[in-house]
Amino acid sequence: MKRGIVPGTFDPITSGHLDIIERAAGLLDEIVVGVALSAEKGGGPLFSARERIAFIEAATKHLSNVSVKGFDTLLVNFADEVGALVIIKGLRAMTDFEREFQMAALNWRLDSKVETMFIMAIPEYMFLSSSAVKEIARHGGSVKGLVPDVVSEALPHKLSEAR
Ligand code: ADP
């Protein structure tokens, strides 16, 4: 049984994240999407961990080998906890590479049994990020197609609450 984890903050999940999860689910037997609580990242996430997990569950319900779990530990410890030997990350433009390369090296140093694999973002989603989505929505732009429908429906409400 080959199990992998797809970790991230997913604040919120985008179509780019979903594409990586779908492709990873086609390559391995089981995928656990790991939602980092990331309480401190950039002033704290917009959506609570519970909301971020619920969005991913709704967006991946067509994938029978995908489950979603929150974590607040070292990534290699989370991998160990769920019995995964592979970390799968999406890779966008060059800016991701530097950071991902460093994280992969550190994770290898912490636990060399856990492999990191990268899946290239498709050109359409190469420039898509959770922060760009929030910025577009904040200024009243449409994010339809950039995020799963559950997210595009929830975003305006959440942003008006947060104001
Ligand atoms: P972000 O980098 O947007 O804050 P996360 O921390 O949730 O998002 O990222 C989790 C993983 O998803 C990272 O490996 C990141 O490179 C990847 N990822 C994010 N957006 C995309 C995208 N549009 N296409 C492919 N991979 C992506």
Side-chain angles (χ1 to χ4, degrees):
M1 175 69 83
K2 292 224 166 22
R3 186 174 296 144
I5 51 177
V6 177
T9 306
F10 304 104
D11 185 39
I13 182 172
T14 68
S15 303
H17 290 130
L18 186 57
D19 180 59
I20 299 297
I21 296 167
E22 282 171 345
R23 289 158 71 194
L27 290 170
L28 298 176
D29 299 312
E30 262 182 39
I31 295 296
V32 179
V33 180
V35 179
L37 300 190
S38 302
E40 69 299 330
K41 190 180 169 184
L46 175 66
F47 291 99
S48 69
R50 189 192 293 229
E51 289 169 320
R52 286 178 276 146
I53 290 171
F55 290 149
I56 304 169
E57 281 173 344
T60 59
K61 61 173 188 291
H62 62 295
L63 302 167
S64 59
N65 61 340
V66 172
S67 59
V68 189
K69 232 171 159 329
F71 74 100
D72 198 17
T73 55
L74 277 177
L75 187 54
V76 288
N77 292 350
F78 177 63
D80 189 47
E81 187 192 308
V82 300
L85 281 178
V86 193
I87 297 168
I88 297 149
K89 305 293 299 274
L91 207 54
R92 288 166 294 187
M94 287 308 288
T95 43
D96 267 349
F97 182 77
E98 186 92 31
R99 193 176 51 132
E100 295 294 347
F101 188 70
Q102 183 188 19
M103 281 202 282
L106 283 172
N107 285 330
W108 181 84
R109 178 69 182 70
L110 291 167
D111 186 348
S112 61
K113 292 187 301 305
V114 181
E115 201 65 73
T116 302
M117 277 174 38
F118 294 98
I119 297 182
M120 296 299 295
I122 59 169
E124 199 183 334
Y125 299 144
M126 197 53 100
F127 298 99
L128 182 57
S129 66
S130 300
S131 41
V133 161
K134 285 180 279 190
E135 202 57 29
I136 294 168
R138 215 168 260 136
H139 292 97
S142 167
V143 293
K144 210 161 168 43
L146 300 180
V147 290
D149 288 346
V150 272
V151 175
S152 57
E153 284 154 21
L155 252 175
H157 304 290
K158 190 70 182 184
L159 287 169
S160 60
E161 256 172 45
R163 264 196 197 111

